[in-house]
Structure formats: structure tokens, C-alpha cells
Amino acid sequence: MSTDLPTIELATGSLIPQLGLGVWQADDEDTERAVRFAIGTAGYRHIDTAAAYGNEAAVGRGIAASGVDRSEIFVTTKLWNADHGRARTLAAIDASLERLGLDHVDLYLIHWPLQDTDRMIETWQTMIEIQASGKATSIGVSNFEPHHLAAIVDATGQPPAVDQIELHPRLAQRELREFCGERGIAVEAWSPLGGSGSGWGADSSPNTLLTDPTLTGIAERHSRSTAQVMIRWHLQNGVIVIPKSVHDDRIAQNIDVLDFELNAADMDAIATLDTGARIGGHPDELNLGAPD
Ligand code: A2P
């Protein structure tokens, strides 16, 4: 399997593999096995987890069992909302590293913005300290809208390396991608295939993107799956993509996307699917796990 994954250079100069494995909603057993298979067999070099997923220890065990040197693997985890504020943030990165069994992560993200802007800025200042300490090579955010990004950049002068946002063909996030692009902030997509049909602030409708006729039509023309078409769409848009699966065949299929290309007509057809429909809640409406 290929490990010649395309990379994106982050503002820190670090290279992030543009395609990684997501493990949200995967239990310990599935996570450990999926991570070991993804890295050890399928050729992945990038794993995306979070303190809130409850599976950091399993990710660590999967990495250790993969047989691939830690230095070749890009690991992301995220700070949960209850851990905003300086003291809690400093404790949270140590707890995440302890669970992962690692001495540093490659990317540490603030999982969600807070409505309490002062507290969110305090957290970002602490993330900058964490980066300086070497416990995180790069730091970034998730689910930040332009006004959240502006608040932390205005206060500290340091933009996040990454903004990880809900992004799939129904929510193409053109404006936010443009905003980030102009500021050197790399964009990562969560629920890049349209999600699992359940989650934070989500409605419980099933994933209908995987069977969308526009996507299945394109997939048939390329003799590929709809998941592979969506992954190509993200890659060709310059987005970092972390499809989640705990099934070996899908994990392997999702990285087998480097030898075909969507043409302009395909990309235009996928653009028509952008209705702005979200799977998760809007970041301005959710205040998950915030203290008080
Ligand atoms: P599973 O883990 O059972 O394979 P997301 O958009 O958040 O990455 O979610 C993808 C969802 O689609 C997951 O629930 C995953 O479930 C499923 N999935 C992942 N890869 C594929 C694939 N290649 N084909 C079909 N379903 C997939």
C-alpha cells in the first residue's frame, strides 16, 4: 500500500498528511484494531482523535502495535470544552499525552469555541505555551467561525495552524475555506463523508450522501465508490480529510484514492450538492461542556 500521501505544509513548517483516519464514535477495541491496521497495513500516517472521544489510550496502543516508528506518524488530539482556561488546559494536554503514551502530539486543537470569548482567548494563549513547551508541534482549533478566529488572532497575533470544521459536499464551507486560506490556516474536514447519522447536536437522519445519485453517478463513471469520490473532492479542494471507519476493507478503500482524479465537470456537479445542511450543530449555537 502506498504511503506516498500528499502533505500540506502547516504555518509551523510541519507537514501534515492530507488524508488520515478519524476515530470518532469508535470504541476501544475497534479503535485499537483500526489504528493498527490503518498504519501497519493500509499505509496511513495520520490519526485524528480527541479527549472527548474517550479512545486516546486505544489510539496509543494501536500506534504502538503498528510496527511503524512514532516519528513517521502524525497524531492529532483535541482539548474538550470543560478544559478551557489556563490551569485546565495545561492539565488536559498532560492527561491526553499520558493516555496516548506519547511525549508530544503533532497537532493539538481546541475542540469547540466558547461563547465566553475571554476564556477562549486564555485557552489559546495557553495552547501557545504548550506549543513552546514541545508537547504539541502545531496548535489549532476546530469548529471556529471567522469571528472566533479573529478573536484569538487579534488577542495573540498567532493564527491557528488548522481549523477543523464540518465539511462535506452538502456543507462545502466556501466562505470559511476562503477566510482560512487568506490567513494561512489549513482546513480539515470532519464528517467528510457525511457522518454516521448521529452525534453532538446532530439530527439522527442516516447518511444519505453515500447513496446520493450525483455522487453514485460520478463513482460509477470512475469505477470507484462514492466514499472515494468524496475523498478525492476534499483532496482536490486542498482540504485535509479524515474519514472514519472501523472496517478494514473501508479503511483500505478510503486511502486507495491516489490514482484517479475528478474532472472539472465532476467537481462542478458536486458543487451543486451544497445546500448548507449541517449534520452537527452550528458552532454559534452549541456550547458543549462549558463550565457553569
Ligand atoms: P464504519 O466505521 O462502520 O465503516 P465520516 O463522514 O464521519 O467520516 O463518517 C463516515 C461514516 O461512513 C462512518 O459511519 C463509517 O462507518 C462509514 N464509512 C466510512 N468509510 C466508508 C466507505 N468507504 N463506504 C461506506 N461507508 C463508509
Side-chain angles (χ1 to χ4, degrees):
M1 277 287 173
S2 166
T3 52
D4 289 334
L5 293 167
T7 54
I8 287 194
E9 186 174 344
L10 300 179
T12 47
S14 293
L15 297 178
I16 182 170
Q18 209 185 337
L19 175 55
L21 179 74
V23 294
W24 184 38
Q25 294 178 320
D27 67 20
D28 275 0
E29 198 184 324
D30 281 346
T31 299
E32 183 175 341
R33 202 177 23 77
V35 168
R36 190 182 63 225
F37 175 80
I39 299 170
T41 305
Y44 285 70
R45 292 293 181 266
H46 170 185
I47 307 292
D48 182 279
T49 185
Y53 299 173
N55 56 19
E56 289 173 307
V59 167
R61 289 194 298 274
I63 290 171
S66 71
V68 173
D69 196 78
R70 161 70 181 102
S71 64
E72 290 181 38
I73 305 166
F74 192 102
V75 182
T76 300
T77 195
K78 310 184 191 85
L79 174 92
W80 186 236
N81 296 16
D83 292 326
H84 274 266
R86 186 169 184 276
R88 289 194 194 196
T89 298
L90 288 173
I93 181 65
D94 286 345
S96 280
L97 291 175
E98 172 85 28
R99 286 189 293 267
L100 285 160
L102 302 177
D103 62 4
H104 75 284
V105 286
D106 298 278
L107 181 61
Y108 195 40
L109 304 180
I110 298 179
H111 206 143
W112 287 87
L114 287 184
Q115 283 161 10
D116 180 343
T117 305
D118 289 344
R119 194 171 176 80
M120 188 174 71
I121 290 170
E122 183 187 318
T123 303
W124 184 242
Q125 282 160 337
T126 312
M127 299 286 281
I128 294 169
E129 279 183 54
I130 288 170
Q131 183 180 23
S133 77
K135 291 178 183 175
T137 309
S138 301
I139 52 172
V141 298
S142 185
N143 300 299
F144 274 43
E145 293 289 309
H147 67 96
H148 301 119
L149 293 167
I152 61 170
V153 176
D154 288 352
T156 66
Q158 180 167 335
V162 157
D163 191 4
Q164 184 182 119
I165 55 176
E166 180 182 342
L167 171 49
H168 44 73
R170 292 224 178 90
L171 184 69
Q173 298 269 29
R174 277 173 179 280
E175 280 174 29
L176 188 44
R177 277 195 280 140
E178 213 172 285
F179 184 93
C180 288
E182 285 162 1
R183 288 160 182 78
I185 303 169
V187 172
E188 281 192 77
W190 64 256
S191 283
L193 307 179
S196 65
S198 65
W200 291 308
D203 63 31
S204 57
S205 52
N207 181 332
T208 52
L209 264 178
L210 286 161
T211 51
D212 177 272
T214 300
L215 293 171
T216 54
I218 295 169
E220 272 165 33
R221 279 198 297 285
H222 289 278
S223 303
R224 296 291 175 145
S225 72
T226 49
Q228 289 174 313
V229 167
M230 283 192 266
I231 293 165
R232 274 306 313 178
W233 176 76
H234 288 288
L235 295 178
Q236 290 180 215
N237 278 333
V239 167
I240 301 157
V241 57
I242 45 168
K244 175 259 173 184
S245 182
V246 295
H247 296 104
D248 290 0
D249 55 342
R250 290 176 177 172
I251 292 171
Q253 181 197 116
N254 292 348
I255 199 175
D256 184 18
V257 292
L258 303 181
D259 58 351
F260 81 107
E261 206 167 327
L262 302 177
N263 61 31
D266 298 329
M267 296 296 280
D268 288 349
I270 297 172
T272 67
L273 302 178
D274 182 15
T275 58
R278 286 177 185 271
I279 300 162
H282 192 288
D284 282 333
E285 287 154 21
L286 290 173
N287 211 16
L288 293 162
D292 313 320

